[in-house]
PDB file of all heavy atoms in Angstrom:
ATOM      1  N   VAL H1217      -8.672 -24.876  -8.108  1.00 88.00           N
ATOM      2  CA  VAL H1217      -8.113 -23.611  -7.652  1.00 88.00           C
ATOM      3  C   VAL H1217      -9.106 -22.773  -6.867  1.00 88.00           C
ATOM      4  O   VAL H1217     -10.127 -22.479  -7.337  1.00 88.00           O
ATOM      5  CB  VAL H1217      -7.514 -22.778  -8.851  1.00 88.00           C
ATOM      6  CG1 VAL H1217      -7.017 -21.473  -8.389  1.00 88.00           C
ATOM      7  CG2 VAL H1217      -6.453 -23.569  -9.538  1.00 88.00           C
ATOM      8  N   ILE H1218      -8.720 -22.431  -5.587  1.00 90.00           N
ATOM      9  CA  ILE H1218      -9.615 -21.663  -4.818  1.00 90.00           C
ATOM     10  C   ILE H1218      -9.262 -20.124  -5.099  1.00 90.00           C
ATOM     11  O   ILE H1218      -8.224 -19.684  -4.699  1.00 90.00           O
ATOM     12  CB  ILE H1218      -9.586 -21.945  -3.378  1.00 90.00           C
ATOM     13  CG1 ILE H1218      -9.961 -23.341  -3.107  1.00 90.00           C
ATOM     14  CG2 ILE H1218     -10.476 -21.021  -2.554  1.00 90.00           C
ATOM     15  CD1 ILE H1218      -9.739 -23.833  -1.614  1.00 90.00           C
ATOM     16  N   ALA H1219     -10.103 -19.421  -5.799  1.00 92.00           N
ATOM     17  CA  ALA H1219      -9.794 -18.001  -6.156  1.00 92.00           C
ATOM     18  C   ALA H1219     -10.182 -17.072  -5.016  1.00 92.00           C
ATOM     19  O   ALA H1219      -9.522 -16.141  -4.748  1.00 92.00           O
ATOM     20  CB  ALA H1219     -10.606 -17.618  -7.502  1.00 92.00           C
ATOM     21  N   LEU H1220     -11.386 -17.313  -4.456  1.00 94.00           N
ATOM     22  CA  LEU H1220     -11.817 -16.599  -3.264  1.00 94.00           C
ATOM     23  C   LEU H1220     -12.288 -17.545  -2.223  1.00 94.00           C
ATOM     24  O   LEU H1220     -12.913 -18.577  -2.484  1.00 94.00           O
ATOM     25  CB  LEU H1220     -13.042 -15.691  -3.644  1.00 94.00           C
ATOM     26  CG  LEU H1220     -12.678 -14.546  -4.586  1.00 94.00           C
ATOM     27  CD1 LEU H1220     -14.028 -13.900  -5.086  1.00 94.00           C
ATOM     28  CD2 LEU H1220     -11.836 -13.451  -3.954  1.00 94.00           C
ATOM     29  N   ASP H1221     -11.959 -17.169  -0.953  1.00 95.00           N
ATOM     30  CA  ASP H1221     -12.308 -18.138   0.109  1.00 95.00           C
ATOM     31  C   ASP H1221     -13.070 -17.387   1.263  1.00 95.00           C
ATOM     32  O   ASP H1221     -12.474 -16.540   1.989  1.00 95.00           O
ATOM     33  CB  ASP H1221     -10.933 -18.681   0.729  1.00 95.00           C
ATOM     34  CG  ASP H1221     -11.283 -19.740   1.792  1.00 95.00           C
ATOM     35  OD1 ASP H1221     -12.243 -20.409   1.762  1.00 95.00           O
ATOM     36  OD2 ASP H1221     -10.349 -19.972   2.664  1.00 95.00           O
ATOM     37  N   ASP H1222     -14.232 -17.711   1.423  1.00 95.00           N
ATOM     38  CA  ASP H1222     -15.125 -17.158   2.480  1.00 95.00           C
ATOM     39  C   ASP H1222     -15.062 -15.651   2.620  1.00 95.00           C
ATOM     40  O   ASP H1222     -14.756 -15.136   3.718  1.00 95.00           O
ATOM     41  CB  ASP H1222     -14.721 -17.869   3.809  1.00 95.00           C
ATOM     42  CG  ASP H1222     -15.779 -17.660   4.907  1.00 95.00           C
ATOM     43  OD1 ASP H1222     -16.993 -17.570   4.536  1.00 95.00           O
ATOM     44  OD2 ASP H1222     -15.416 -17.656   6.129  1.00 95.00           O
ATOM     45  N   VAL H1223     -15.443 -14.994   1.526  1.00 96.00           N
ATOM     46  CA  VAL H1223     -15.437 -13.528   1.468  1.00 96.00           C
ATOM     47  C   VAL H1223     -16.784 -12.928   1.811  1.00 96.00           C
ATOM     48  O   VAL H1223     -17.782 -13.342   1.242  1.00 96.00           O
ATOM     49  CB  VAL H1223     -14.884 -13.015   0.082  1.00 96.00           C
ATOM     50  CG1 VAL H1223     -15.177 -11.594  -0.106  1.00 96.00           C
ATOM     51  CG2 VAL H1223     -13.433 -13.354  -0.180  1.00 96.00           C
ATOM     52  N   SER H1224     -16.825 -12.031   2.782  1.00 97.00           N
ATOM     53  CA  SER H1224     -17.993 -11.300   3.160  1.00 97.00           C
ATOM     54  C   SER H1224     -17.724  -9.771   3.092  1.00 97.00           C
ATOM     55  O   SER H1224     -16.732  -9.300   3.591  1.00 97.00           O
ATOM     56  CB  SER H1224     -18.447 -11.750   4.586  1.00 97.00           C
ATOM     57  OG  SER H1224     -18.901 -13.058   4.570  1.00 97.00           O
ATOM     58  N   LEU H1225     -18.706  -9.111   2.470  1.00 96.00           N
ATOM     59  CA  LEU H1225     -18.413  -7.635   2.335  1.00 96.00           C
ATOM     60  C   LEU H1225     -19.828  -7.024   2.031  1.00 96.00           C
ATOM     61  O   LEU H1225     -20.596  -7.568   1.308  1.00 96.00           O
ATOM     62  CB  LEU H1225     -17.510  -7.374   1.132  1.00 96.00           C
ATOM     63  CG  LEU H1225     -17.215  -5.913   0.732  1.00 96.00           C
ATOM     64  CD1 LEU H1225     -16.401  -5.243   1.875  1.00 96.00           C
ATOM     65  CD2 LEU H1225     -16.414  -5.962  -0.500  1.00 96.00           C
ATOM     66  N   SER H1226     -20.085  -5.843   2.669  1.00 96.00           N
ATOM     67  CA  SER H1226     -21.294  -5.114   2.385  1.00 96.00           C
ATOM     68  C   SER H1226     -20.909  -3.709   1.865  1.00 96.00           C
ATOM     69  O   SER H1226     -19.965  -3.126   2.401  1.00 96.00           O
ATOM     70  CB  SER H1226     -22.145  -4.962   3.632  1.00 96.00           C
ATOM     71  OG  SER H1226     -22.610  -6.168   4.023  1.00 96.00           O
ATOM     72  N   LEU H1227     -21.656  -3.177   0.923  1.00 96.00           N
ATOM     73  CA  LEU H1227     -21.422  -1.793   0.327  1.00 96.00           C
ATOM     74  C   LEU H1227     -22.729  -1.002   0.545  1.00 96.00           C
ATOM     75  O   LEU H1227     -23.801  -1.563   0.201  1.00 96.00           O
ATOM     76  CB  LEU H1227     -21.065  -1.859  -1.136  1.00 96.00           C
ATOM     77  CG  LEU H1227     -19.714  -2.258  -1.570  1.00 96.00           C
ATOM     78  CD1 LEU H1227     -19.409  -3.677  -1.342  1.00 96.00           C
ATOM     79  CD2 LEU H1227     -19.565  -1.904  -3.050  1.00 96.00           C
ATOM     80  N   GLY H1228     -22.494   0.140   1.003  1.00 96.00           N
ATOM     81  CA  GLY H1228     -23.669   1.093   1.168  1.00 96.00           C
ATOM     82  C   GLY H1228     -24.072   1.596  -0.184  1.00 96.00           C
ATOM     83  O   GLY H1228     -23.291   1.742  -1.118  1.00 96.00           O
ATOM     84  N   ARG H1229     -25.294   1.991  -0.363  1.00 95.00           N
ATOM     85  CA  ARG H1229     -25.742   2.641  -1.599  1.00 95.00           C
ATOM     86  C   ARG H1229     -24.985   3.939  -1.804  1.00 95.00           C
ATOM     87  O   ARG H1229     -24.833   4.788  -0.957  1.00 95.00           O
ATOM     88  CB  ARG H1229     -27.219   2.946  -1.511  1.00 95.00           C
ATOM     89  CG  ARG H1229     -27.831   3.370  -2.852  1.00 95.00           C
ATOM     90  CD  ARG H1229     -29.394   3.460  -2.732  1.00 95.00           C
ATOM     91  NE  ARG H1229     -30.008   2.216  -2.443  1.00 95.00           N
ATOM     92  CZ  ARG H1229     -30.300   1.367  -3.447  1.00 95.00           C
ATOM     93  NH1 ARG H1229     -30.068   1.607  -4.727  1.00 95.00           N
ATOM     94  NH2 ARG H1229     -30.889   0.182  -3.211  1.00 95.00           N
ATOM     95  N   GLY H1230     -24.419   4.049  -3.041  1.00 95.00           N
ATOM     96  CA  GLY H1230     -23.663   5.222  -3.369  1.00 95.00           C
ATOM     97  C   GLY H1230     -22.167   5.195  -2.843  1.00 95.00           C
ATOM     98  O   GLY H1230     -21.484   6.196  -3.028  1.00 95.00           O
ATOM     99  N   GLU H1231     -21.799   4.171  -2.339  1.00 97.00           N
ATOM    100  CA  GLU H1231     -20.378   4.054  -1.742  1.00 97.00           C
ATOM    101  C   GLU H1231     -19.452   3.740  -2.863  1.00 97.00           C
ATOM    102  O   GLU H1231     -19.762   3.118  -3.827  1.00 97.00           O
ATOM    103  CB  GLU H1231     -20.276   2.941  -0.673  1.00 97.00           C
ATOM    104  CG  GLU H1231     -19.006   2.942   0.063  1.00 97.00           C
ATOM    105  CD  GLU H1231     -18.870   1.918   1.214  1.00 97.00           C
ATOM    106  OE1 GLU H1231     -19.772   1.052   1.199  1.00 97.00           O
ATOM    107  OE2 GLU H1231     -17.898   1.940   1.893  1.00 97.00           O
ATOM    108  N   PHE H1232     -18.144   4.193  -2.730  1.00 97.00           N
ATOM    109  CA  PHE H1232     -17.099   3.800  -3.660  1.00 97.00           C
ATOM    110  C   PHE H1232     -16.090   3.044  -2.877  1.00 97.00           C
ATOM    111  O   PHE H1232     -15.421   3.445  -1.865  1.00 97.00           O
ATOM    112  CB  PHE H1232     -16.397   5.104  -4.157  1.00 97.00           C
ATOM    113  CG  PHE H1232     -15.625   4.957  -5.458  1.00 97.00           C
ATOM    114  CD1 PHE H1232     -15.985   5.697  -6.554  1.00 97.00           C
ATOM    115  CD2 PHE H1232     -14.651   4.045  -5.605  1.00 97.00           C
ATOM    116  CE1 PHE H1232     -15.241   5.598  -7.766  1.00 97.00           C
ATOM    117  CE2 PHE H1232     -13.985   3.855  -6.739  1.00 97.00           C
ATOM    118  CZ  PHE H1232     -14.226   4.609  -7.869  1.00 97.00           C
ATOM    119  N   VAL H1233     -15.918   1.820  -3.364  1.00 97.00           N
ATOM    120  CA  VAL H1233     -14.958   0.788  -2.668  1.00 97.00           C
ATOM    121  C   VAL H1233     -13.900   0.387  -3.635  1.00 97.00           C
ATOM    122  O   VAL H1233     -14.193   0.133  -4.814  1.00 97.00           O
ATOM    123  CB  VAL H1233     -15.709  -0.383  -2.119  1.00 97.00           C
ATOM    124  CG1 VAL H1233     -14.799  -1.553  -1.800  1.00 97.00           C
ATOM    125  CG2 VAL H1233     -16.518  -0.051  -0.860  1.00 97.00           C
ATOM    126  N   ALA H1234     -12.642   0.346  -3.195  1.00 97.00           N
ATOM    127  CA  ALA H1234     -11.567  -0.095  -4.021  1.00 97.00           C
ATOM    128  C   ALA H1234     -11.128  -1.443  -3.505  1.00 97.00           C
ATOM    129  O   ALA H1234     -11.023  -1.686  -2.302  1.00 97.00           O
ATOM    130  CB  ALA H1234     -10.360   0.818  -4.053  1.00 97.00           C
ATOM    131  N   LEU H1235     -10.790  -2.406  -4.420  1.00 97.00           N
ATOM    132  CA  LEU H1235     -10.295  -3.672  -4.094  1.00 97.00           C
ATOM    133  C   LEU H1235      -8.797  -3.724  -4.509  1.00 97.00           C
ATOM    134  O   LEU H1235      -8.450  -3.399  -5.677  1.00 97.00           O
ATOM    135  CB  LEU H1235     -10.967  -4.855  -4.811  1.00 97.00           C
ATOM    136  CG  LEU H1235     -12.447  -4.928  -4.657  1.00 97.00           C
ATOM    137  CD1 LEU H1235     -13.032  -6.001  -5.577  1.00 97.00           C
ATOM    138  CD2 LEU H1235     -12.875  -5.154  -3.265  1.00 97.00           C
ATOM    139  N   ILE H1236      -7.854  -4.104  -3.543  1.00 96.00           N
ATOM    140  CA  ILE H1236      -6.483  -4.138  -3.841  1.00 96.00           C
ATOM    141  C   ILE H1236      -5.875  -5.368  -3.313  1.00 96.00           C
ATOM    142  O   ILE H1236      -6.330  -5.914  -2.261  1.00 96.00           O
ATOM    143  CB  ILE H1236      -5.772  -2.866  -3.287  1.00 96.00           C
ATOM    144  CG1 ILE H1236      -4.402  -2.669  -4.045  1.00 96.00           C
ATOM    145  CG2 ILE H1236      -5.681  -2.826  -1.857  1.00 96.00           C
ATOM    146  CD1 ILE H1236      -3.816  -1.270  -3.825  1.00 96.00           C
ATOM    147  N   GLY H1237      -4.824  -5.951  -3.969  1.00 94.00           N
ATOM    148  CA  GLY H1237      -4.198  -7.164  -3.486  1.00 94.00           C
ATOM    149  C   GLY H1237      -3.215  -7.568  -4.545  1.00 94.00           C
ATOM    150  O   GLY H1237      -3.204  -7.090  -5.677  1.00 94.00           O
ATOM    151  N   PRO H1238      -2.382  -8.553  -4.241  1.00 91.00           N
ATOM    152  CA  PRO H1238      -1.460  -9.107  -5.231  1.00 91.00           C
ATOM    153  C   PRO H1238      -2.151  -9.715  -6.440  1.00 91.00           C
ATOM    154  O   PRO H1238      -3.296 -10.072  -6.400  1.00 91.00           O
ATOM    155  CB  PRO H1238      -0.662 -10.142  -4.454  1.00 91.00           C
ATOM    156  CG  PRO H1238      -1.469 -10.489  -3.248  1.00 91.00           C
ATOM    157  CD  PRO H1238      -2.310  -9.312  -2.979  1.00 91.00           C
ATOM    158  N   SER H1239      -1.410  -9.810  -7.535  1.00 87.00           N
ATOM    159  CA  SER H1239      -1.941 -10.406  -8.815  1.00 87.00           C
ATOM    160  C   SER H1239      -2.451 -11.809  -8.418  1.00 87.00           C
ATOM    161  O   SER H1239      -1.801 -12.574  -7.722  1.00 87.00           O
ATOM    162  CB  SER H1239      -0.881 -10.441  -9.868  1.00 87.00           C
ATOM    163  OG  SER H1239      -0.536  -9.217 -10.302  1.00 87.00           O
ATOM    164  N   GLY H1240      -3.545 -12.160  -9.051  1.00 83.00           N
ATOM    165  CA  GLY H1240      -4.132 -13.462  -8.900  1.00 83.00           C
ATOM    166  C   GLY H1240      -4.854 -13.735  -7.491  1.00 83.00           C
ATOM    167  O   GLY H1240      -5.144 -14.835  -7.173  1.00 83.00           O
ATOM    168  N   CYS H1241      -5.187 -12.636  -6.856  1.00 87.00           N
ATOM    169  CA  CYS H1241      -5.766 -12.751  -5.510  1.00 87.00           C
ATOM    170  C   CYS H1241      -7.277 -12.892  -5.559  1.00 87.00           C
ATOM    171  O   CYS H1241      -7.873 -13.058  -4.541  1.00 87.00           O
ATOM    172  CB  CYS H1241      -5.346 -11.701  -4.535  1.00 87.00           C
ATOM    173  SG  CYS H1241      -6.100 -10.066  -4.934  1.00 87.00           S
ATOM    174  N   GLY H1242      -7.819 -12.708  -6.746  1.00 89.00           N
ATOM    175  CA  GLY H1242      -9.295 -12.885  -6.844  1.00 89.00           C
ATOM    176  C   GLY H1242     -10.130 -11.576  -6.933  1.00 89.00           C
ATOM    177  O   GLY H1242     -11.284 -11.579  -6.964  1.00 89.00           O
ATOM    178  N   LYS H1243      -9.335 -10.489  -7.171  1.00 92.00           N
ATOM    179  CA  LYS H1243     -10.046  -9.191  -7.252  1.00 92.00           C
ATOM    180  C   LYS H1243     -11.077  -9.178  -8.421  1.00 92.00           C
ATOM    181  O   LYS H1243     -12.161  -8.794  -8.295  1.00 92.00           O
ATOM    182  CB  LYS H1243      -9.034  -8.016  -7.389  1.00 92.00           C
ATOM    183  CG  LYS H1243      -8.032  -7.914  -6.313  1.00 92.00           C
ATOM    184  CD  LYS H1243      -7.194  -6.714  -6.420  1.00 92.00           C
ATOM    185  CE  LYS H1243      -6.240  -6.762  -7.718  1.00 92.00           C
ATOM    186  NZ  LYS H1243      -5.309  -7.752  -7.712  1.00 92.00           N
TER     187      LYS H1243
END
């Protein structure tokens, strides 16, 4: 089962990021 596929993401120091998506999407 591929839960996450080729995900790239950068967060700045002190940043607030929300992850959203359908159930089972790998959040």
Side-chain angles (χ1 to χ4, degrees):
V1217 175
I1218 301 174
L1220 290 169
D1221 185 27
D1222 196 28
V1223 168
S1224 294
L1225 178 66
S1226 295
L1227 280 71
R1229 189 174 294 275
E1231 188 178 11
F1232 200 124
V1233 166
L1235 306 177
I1236 197 166
S1239 293
C1241 72
K1243 303 183 296 294

